[in-house]
Amino acid sequence: NLPTSITTNNNTNNDPLNTFPPAINAFLTNQKYDTKFAKFVVLTTATPKSLASYAARGATEAALLTSLLDADDDDKTGDLLVRMLVADGPTAAQYGPAMAIYTAIQRRCENARVVGSVYERLALAIGLEHAVPIEQSNPKSSSSPSSPSNRIVDPMTRYLHYESAYENGELDPSFANLT
C-alpha cells in the first residue's frame, strides 16, 4: 500500500513509540492540511531566495513556480505539490526545473496528462530526478564529445524510452505499481 498523502499515519503495527495522542493524530491525519504542509516544506527546503532566483530567469519560469505555489487544498496543483513531496521531492529541492521537465513531458505526451496514470507518475518521477542535470555515464561518440547533448541525460528522451519499453512489455510487470 503506497502512501498518497503527507499526513497518512503508517503506524499499522501499533508501535507505542510511533503513536500520537488522539487529538494530534486527528490533526496530522486530516488531509485538509496537506497542501499547506507541502508549501511549508517547499519554502523551507527550496528557500525563497532560490525560488526567486529561478523565477527571475523569465516569465515562463515565474509562471511555473507561481502555479505551483498558488495551489489550493482543493485543486489539482495542490495535489501535484503533495505528490511531489510524497515522492521525496526534486533533487536538491529544485522545484522550478522539476516543474519545467514535468510540464514539457505532459505537453508532448498525451498519456502523461492523465493524473495518476503510470505515464503521469513516470513524468513526475523523471522531472523530480532530473531537476539537477544528470551526467551521462556512457556518452555517445561524436565529432563534439563535449557538447551538452552528449554529456547530460535528456529527460524527454529518458521518458520516451521508458514509455516505449512499458508499452512493449519490456519492463518488470510491477513497474505500473511503482510511484
Side-chain angles (χ1 to χ4, degrees):
N1 221 359
L2 300 172
T4 57
S5 166
I6 294 173
T7 56
T8 299
N9 183 356
N10 293 322
N11 186 21
T12 56
N13 63 359
N14 293 322
D15 180 355
L17 296 176
N18 292 326
T19 303
F20 297 108
I24 293 174
N25 195 47
F27 172 76
L28 291 175
T29 57
N30 186 341
Q31 293 181 5
K32 170 181 159 184
Y33 302 108
D34 281 358
T35 301
K36 287 176 180 51
F37 287 145
K39 284 183 191 180
F40 171 78
V41 171
V42 169
L43 291 172
T44 57
T45 60
T47 75
K49 181 179 179 181
S50 171
L51 294 169
S53 174
Y54 182 80
R57 292 180 186 177
T60 301
E61 291 83 355
L64 282 171
L65 287 180
T66 298
S67 71
L68 188 64
L69 295 174
D70 277 353
D72 291 327
D73 292 317
D74 299 324
D75 69 15
K76 290 180 182 179
T77 308
D79 180 55
L80 173 62
L81 189 57
V82 170
R83 288 184 299 111
M84 287 175 112
L85 292 174
V86 168
D88 287 337
T91 302
Q94 295 296 309
Y95 289 89
M99 278 292 290
I101 294 166
Y102 173 73
T103 57
I105 293 170
Q106 286 191 315
R107 275 194 306 273
R108 182 166 174 187
C109 306
E110 190 173 330
N111 287 339
R113 296 179 205 145
V114 180
V115 175
S117 70
V118 66
Y119 303 104
E120 187 268 345
R121 293 190 329 264
L122 177 60
L124 181 58
I126 288 175
L128 296 173
E129 187 63 25
H130 288 263
V132 172
I134 298 173
E135 190 170 330
Q136 184 69 263
S137 62
N138 57 346
K140 293 179 182 178
S141 300
S142 75
S143 58
S144 178
S146 63
S147 74
S149 62
N150 286 332
R151 293 187 326 229
I152 303 298
V153 176
D154 177 50
M156 183 64 72
T157 302
R158 176 156 288 177
Y159 172 84
L160 293 171
H161 172 79
Y162 272 93
E163 180 184 63
S164 174
Y166 176 72
E167 290 172 350
N168 292 327
E170 298 169 1
L171 300 177
D172 187 285
S174 63
F175 180 81
N177 299 322
L178 303 174
T179 53

